[in-house]
Every structure is written in C-alpha cells, then in structure tokens.
Amino acid sequence: MNIPFNKPYMTGKELWNIAQAHTNGHLAGDGAFTRRCSRWLEARTGTRTALLTHSCTAALEMAAILANIGPGDEIIMPSYTFVSTANAFVLRGAVPVFVDIRPDTLNIDETLIEAAITPRTRAIVPVHYAGVGCEMDTIVAIAEKHGLLVIEDAAQAVMASYRGRPLGAIGQFGALSFHETKNIISGEGGALLVNAPECAERAEIIREKGTNRSMFFRGQVDKYTWVDLGSSYLPGEIIAAFLAAQMDEADDITNRRLAIWGTYHQALADAERAEKLRRPIVPAHCHHNAHMYYILLNDLSQRSAFIATLRDAGIHTVFHYIPLHSSPAGKKFGRSVGDLPVTADIADRLVRLPLWVGLEDHQHEIIQRIVSAL
Ligand SMILES: *Cc1c(COP(=O)(O)O)cnc(C)c1O
C-alpha cells in the first residue's frame, strides 16, 4: 500500500476553465473567474463582500490592516493553530495572547477569553479547528461587551456552519483557505469575507496595493491613485479558473469527505470503548465539513509507535501543531495566559488520518491496519 496523507482532488474541469481564461486573454486578477468565485462565496456564506486572495495568510494580513491593528495591541487566539493566525498580527507589531483550548472540540476555550482581556486587547481570533465551529454566540457576546473585533480564522471551515450560520461570516472578518491540503482547492488560495459593510471599500483598496483601482474600473473615480496602506493580495485568473471548477463541485466534494469521515468514525467506535483512543467530538449545533479526521491516542510514545507502524504499512499519518506559545517565535512575540495544559496535552496525542476524495477504495484496508496498530 502507498496511501499519502493528502491527495489533491481534481474535478476534471479545472483545465477547461484555465483554457477559457487563456482564451479570454485576461491573466491578472479580478477577471470573470475571480468574480464568479466571489459571487459563489457571497451566495454560500451570506457575506456582503468576498474577496479572493492568494492565501488565507494574505486574508488574515488584510484583516489585521483593516482592523487598524498596531504596535502593542493584543489579539486573543488559541496557541493550538497554524502560524499564520499569529503572524498576520505580529507583522503589524501586535502581541498574540494565547489561551487554552476546549478538550472536546480543540477550539479556543471561550470561558477563558474574558480573563485574557486587557486595555490593549483589540480582537479575538477564533480558529474553527477541523471545520467545527467555535462557540461563536459566547465569543461574539464577549467581543460586543468589551468593544473588540472578531476575526475568524476559517481556513479549514469552508461549507461548515455554527447554528445554521456559515463559518467565516459571523465575525467582522473571516479568512478562508484554498490551499491544496484543504477541502476546496486552488493550490495556493484564499478569501477574505468582509462581513462589516463599512469596511468593504477599504478592503478592496488594501488588496489592490493601496490604490482605488477597483473603483476606477467600476467608473466610480476618473483616475486611480495611492490612497491607503496596501499590498498585492489578489490571485491571478488562472488560479481563480481552477478554483471555480472546484466550487462547482463543492457539495459533492463535501459529501464524499463526510462519508469517509463517517466510515472512520463508525469503524473506530469499538477502539474508543476499549479506551485505546478518543474520536473527534462535534457538537450537535455545528455542521462540520469533514476537513479532518483525527484521533487522540493515550500518550506521546503510543502516538510515535502508531505513526511508525502505519508508515511501515505504507499509510502516512501526521501530527500537528507545535503549540505556538512553545515555539521560538511564539515565545518572542506572544504571551500566554496560564499554562495551557489542554493545548500541551493534545499536541502530544493527536494524529490525523488520511482523508481525501478517492480514499474510499482503500479505506477498508486502511482501517484494518489502523485497528491492528492500536
Ligand atoms: C491552512 C491554514 C492557514 C493558512 O492557509 P494558507 O491558505 O496556506 O495561507 C491558516 N490558519 C489555519 C488554521 C490553517 O489551517
């Protein structure tokens, strides 16, 4: 067997779309395919303005600029996340303030947020781990009470929802990823959902190198010029053409992933009863998108042995994250609130199983290997 951890799924229509972009002769950003992807995101999430970016990292950086984050500002976030969640704010001189996660969903523990707030706090950044929603009702209520922004790192959460509301469209800003390891892909890619309507115009400007070029093309101004901070955050049309093909099949992709997720979940129920592992927990009010199937083993040595045994059988499993508060840059730029015991514990015990469209054909054998490796 040779089962990779991830295998990018292609719908088969990507090249046709790319050929059309080629024929159209518009290769820079913001052509017909970019518009199609933006409209799809707006329709699916209900956000007013969805802007394609070249990554989720870029979308988070845009959110930090839009939020006027500056030196010494504090941003509350989990430590159990990808580096971009923190980097986007550190680039503006801000301090990531790390709080612990919930033992069930592995999302930020909303009951610990208020104790982390200081006069310098400007925003809360919930990360919807594995496409399972954070406790957004509580988080939004805390933010409103203290005058803070909510910037959702919804990198893993396309097509997922919390109490019926699409993730990424709940806070003032939401950042999605279309990296090839995510559910809907374009190699590298992302989007910023600008849910605060008053920020939409400035978001366009920041994305277009700080110019009012988008307004110029709509005929709203008669020349374009440098008006604000900005950078180049937009993808070219070839990327958008690829992404549009994926969006056309997003329901099918999500359903197939959910089926694979469900097969793992059912097959590992006995192992959980035998206390060999713990399976993911998805609250009833969260609709997830099967971004990830992970298991929690009992300790680090069991995990190392499990990964090695499966590797010998040709099945590639991975772990993550090195908690940001214990990383060299996290120690330099951030601070943590308390010891983050759940984060430290989970980081040693979590393993992600292969989950990609097409895995169905091998899943029976993969599960047999997993069960015998436990
Ligand atoms: C993948 C990921 C990112 C980064 O996404 P890119 O599109 O690669 O920049 C950020 N945050 C989280 C939680 C992620 O999983």
Side-chain angles (χ1 to χ4, degrees):
M1 273 194 124
N2 184 18
I3 303 295
F5 168 67
N6 181 56
K7 187 170 171 189
Y9 173 70
M10 317 278 176
T11 67
K13 300 191 184 116
E14 289 83 358
L15 284 178
W16 164 249
N17 279 4
I18 288 170
Q20 278 195 294
H22 180 266
T23 306
N24 294 346
H26 178 129
L27 298 179
D30 283 342
F33 282 108
T34 300
R35 276 194 296 281
R36 200 166 124 191
C37 294
S38 301
R39 295 302 91 80
W40 184 91
L41 284 166
E42 287 160 6
R44 286 305 181 113
T45 66
T47 190
R48 261 274 299 273
T49 308
L51 298 174
L52 284 200
T53 56
H54 53 69
S55 62
C56 177
T57 302
L60 289 165
E61 289 177 20
M62 281 184 64
I65 297 171
L66 273 166
N68 294 314
I69 301 302
D73 287 347
E74 295 182 353
I75 314 295
I76 295 173
M77 65 182 67
S79 166
Y80 194 68
T81 181
F82 187 63
V83 294
S84 296
T85 317
N87 244 334
F89 299 94
V90 172
L91 279 168
R92 314 240 54 85
V95 179
V97 174
F98 301 117
V99 302
D100 212 355
I101 51 173
R102 296 168 56 115
D104 54 358
T105 57
L106 317 188
N107 280 329
I108 190 167
D109 185 339
E110 69 284 356
T111 66
L112 302 176
I113 291 175
E114 272 197 298
I117 294 174
T118 75
R120 311 285 329 236
T121 308
R122 296 290 317 285
I124 305 168
V125 184
V127 179
H128 305 300
Y129 185 69
V132 176
C134 296
E135 276 312 315
M136 293 307 289
D137 281 346
T138 307
I139 291 170
V140 168
I142 293 169
E144 283 174 358
K145 180 173 158 200
H146 295 273
L148 309 175
L149 294 168
V150 175
I151 301 170
E152 298 175 70
D153 182 338
Q156 303 177 4
V158 67
M159 307 283 285
S161 62
Y162 168 84
R163 297 193 193 281
R165 278 129 67 201
L167 297 178
I170 301 171
Q172 276 79 17
F173 308 110
L176 303 182
S177 176
F178 306 117
H179 185 264
E180 74 166 27
T181 53
K182 303 302 202 283
N183 290 21
I184 307 297
I185 62 172
S186 57
E188 303 281 350
L192 179 68
L193 306 186
V194 187
N195 308 319
E198 67 278 10
C199 295
E201 194 171 287
R202 185 159 180 245
E204 280 186 347
I205 290 168
I206 290 166
R207 178 168 166 273
E208 269 282 19
K209 300 97 178 163
T211 73
N212 54 1
R213 191 166 185 266
S214 301
M215 296 172 76
F216 174 70
F217 280 122
R218 284 198 299 266
Q220 291 165 331
V221 290
D222 59 8
K223 57 181 180 304
Y224 86 84
T225 183
W226 185 21
V227 293
D228 202 339
L229 268 184
S231 187
S232 186
Y233 288 122
L234 65 168
E237 275 290 283
I238 301 283
I239 295 282
F242 191 106
L243 184 60
Q246 296 264 321
M247 286 176 167
D248 285 348
E249 310 231 338
D251 291 305
D252 191 42
I253 291 170
T254 307
N255 288 335
R256 288 180 69 179
R257 293 185 72 101
L258 283 166
I260 296 165
W261 196 101
T263 302
Y264 274 136
H265 205 59
Q266 209 175 358
L268 296 172
D270 284 344
E272 186 175 68
R273 270 190 291 275
E275 297 183 1
K276 291 179 174 168
L277 56 77
R278 203 211 84 189
R279 297 178 302 160
I281 295 170
V282 181
H285 55 277
C286 294
H287 274 206
H288 75 108
N289 59 359
H291 171 60
M292 193 190 296
Y293 198 89
Y294 65 81
I295 54 176
L296 293 172
L297 297 173
N298 291 328
D299 56 44
L300 180 59
S301 66
Q302 190 199 356
R303 181 176 76 178
S304 305
F306 176 84
I307 291 174
T309 305
L310 285 179
R311 195 194 304 115
D312 290 344
I315 298 167
H316 298 273
T317 60
V318 299
F319 63 85
H320 71 179
Y321 299 102
I322 309 292
L324 298 186
H325 76 283
S326 61
S327 69
K331 284 181 187 158
K332 183 169 168 192
F333 297 118
R335 77 178 162 78
S336 25
V337 179
D339 286 341
L340 317 192
V342 182
T343 300
D345 175 48
I346 295 296
D348 278 351
R349 299 196 289 120
L350 183 137
V351 194
R352 299 175 63 181
L353 305 182
L355 201 177
W356 36 269
V357 174
L359 183 84
E360 297 93 325
D361 304 342
H362 318 280
Q363 202 175 3
H364 184 67
E365 197 180 340
I366 294 170
I367 286 167
Q368 282 184 330
R369 297 282 190 168
I370 288 170
V371 170
S372 60
L374 287 169

